[in-house]
């Protein structure tokens, strides 16, 4: 674990030494090595989630069209605000985080299913990092929340690939095979990176605090998500 942490810190340090890198910021004096690794993890999940949002809308353009005048850029602004609103999204029945995910696979939901699933993913990950975009020495991350978010992501990935409507069609298209016979697993790769990133941070924080992770058995097909 310490070797992994050191490697991640060295990657961060090498980036700082790049001639095009931003100059040293005095606020970094209030950060430990683990805080810097956490910052990288936050940037990583936000980057991957943005990529996933864009890709899902390209694959499911009809979902965006359910809201007149809506664009992908507007959705990104809603999903990645400076500070997340506590009362959820009105069009998702005032839900956010994992509570919004079931809407994406509900026969009765007539709204934007891509928005529902991405509100679930981004809201959950935001809460796993206590709503912060930067971590400092006095901030305290919870290894169990990070671990639980990884298991929840596994469930979301399963539902994305398997849940179908009464007509036998996937609610949301993701991985698939093109007319040319080319298999596209790019969605699965993004989800895998998100899951792996959360598991790594859970282990890093557990090692730092000497707090044990409760590694619960959680069925991926379950629509009951672990608490964050």
């Amino acid at each position: 674990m310490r070797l992994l942490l050191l490697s991640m810190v060295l990657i961060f340090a090498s980036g700082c030494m790049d001639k095009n890198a931003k100059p040293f910021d005095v606020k970094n004096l209030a950060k430990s090595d683990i805080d810097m690794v956490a910052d990288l993890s936050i940037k990583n999940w936000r980057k991957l989630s943005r990529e996933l949002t864009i890709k899902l809308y390209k694959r499911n353009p009809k979902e965006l069209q359910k809201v007149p005048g809506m664009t992908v850029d507007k959705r990104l602004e809603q999903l990645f605000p400076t500070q997340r609103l506590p009362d959820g999204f009105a069009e998702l029945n005032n839900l956010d985080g994992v509570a919004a995910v079931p809407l994406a696979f509900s026969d009765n939901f007539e709204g934007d299913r891509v928005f529902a699933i991405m509100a679930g993913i981004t809201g959950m990950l935001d809460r796993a990092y206590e709503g912060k975009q930067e971590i400092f020495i006095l901030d305290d991350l919870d290894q169990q929340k990070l671990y639980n978010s990884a298991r929840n992501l596994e469930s979301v990935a399963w539902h994305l690939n398997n849940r179908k409507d009464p007509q036998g069609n996937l609610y949301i298209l993701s991985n698939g095979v093109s007319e040319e016979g080319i298999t596209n697993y790019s969605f699965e790769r993004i989800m895998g990176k998100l899951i792996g990133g959360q598991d790594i941070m859970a282990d890093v924080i557990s090692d730092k605090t000497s707090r044990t992770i409760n590694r619960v058995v959680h069925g991926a097909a379950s629509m009951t998500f672990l608490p964050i």
Side-chain angles (χ1 to χ4, degrees):
M1 176 56 62
R2 288 184 173 82
L3 180 58
L4 172 62
L5 178 59
L6 178 59
S7 298
M8 296 175 74
V9 172
L10 288 174
I11 291 173
F12 177 86
S14 64
C16 291
M17 291 186 289
D18 188 277
K19 64 179 180 180
N20 295 319
K22 294 181 180 179
F24 174 75
D25 195 326
V26 68
K27 68 182 179 182
N28 288 337
L29 293 174
K31 291 177 178 287
S32 68
D33 289 344
I34 291 179
D35 295 332
M36 292 182 180
V37 170
D39 285 351
L40 285 174
S41 186
I42 291 171
K43 290 178 181 178
N44 186 57
W45 82 250
R46 290 174 68 87
K47 174 179 177 291
L48 290 171
S49 296
R50 288 178 71 91
E51 291 178 7
L52 183 59
T53 302
I54 294 169
K55 288 177 68 65
L56 284 174
Y57 275 123
K58 285 184 178 179
R59 195 85 165 84
N60 303 269
K62 67 177 183 179
E63 297 301 321
L64 195 66
Q65 296 164 7
K66 290 179 178 179
V67 182
M70 184 56 67
T71 66
V72 174
D73 286 340
K74 289 180 180 179
R75 283 304 196 206
L76 292 174
E77 290 178 4
Q78 290 177 291
L79 292 168
F80 301 95
T82 302
Q83 185 173 7
R84 211 161 182 107
L85 298 176
D87 51 356
F89 297 99
E91 66 180 279
L92 299 179
N93 302 331
N94 295 316
L95 298 175
D96 193 7
V98 290
V101 173
L103 291 177
F105 307 104
S106 170
D107 294 338
N108 300 320
F109 182 61
E110 298 180 355
D112 183 340
R113 296 180 188 276
V114 170
F115 184 54
I117 198 170
M118 290 312 304
I121 290 173
T122 58
M124 175 185 67
L125 293 176
D126 184 68
R127 290 170 188 168
Y129 290 92
E130 307 297 342
K132 300 179 183 296
Q133 295 186 36
E134 278 193 279
I135 304 298
F136 295 92
I137 288 176
L138 296 181
D139 292 327
D140 185 26
L141 294 179
D142 187 322
Q143 77 287 344
Q144 194 64 49
K145 289 183 179 180
L146 294 163
Y147 174 84
N148 286 359
S149 67
R151 304 291 73 76
N152 288 344
L153 283 170
E154 290 176 341
S155 292
V156 172
W158 187 93
H159 289 288
L160 185 61
N161 289 324
N162 293 278
R163 289 294 297 275
K164 297 179 180 180
D165 63 22
Q167 289 72 45
N169 301 310
L170 289 169
Y171 283 107
I172 303 174
L173 298 177
S174 55
N175 300 310
V177 181
S178 69
E179 295 180 357
E180 295 77 19
I182 300 174
T183 304
N184 176 12
Y185 288 125
S186 58
F187 295 91
E188 190 171 308
R189 286 194 292 271
I190 291 176
M191 291 299 293
K193 290 178 182 178
L194 285 170
I195 294 166
Q198 295 304 100
D199 274 330
I200 288 173
M201 277 309 304
D203 286 338
V204 167
I205 298 302
S206 177
D207 187 64
K208 170 193 173 184
T209 61
S210 298
R211 295 193 299 244
T212 302
I213 297 173
N214 180 20
R215 300 183 185 276
V216 298
V217 177
H218 185 246
S222 173
M223 193 59 85
T224 301
F225 296 98
L226 298 175
I228 304 297

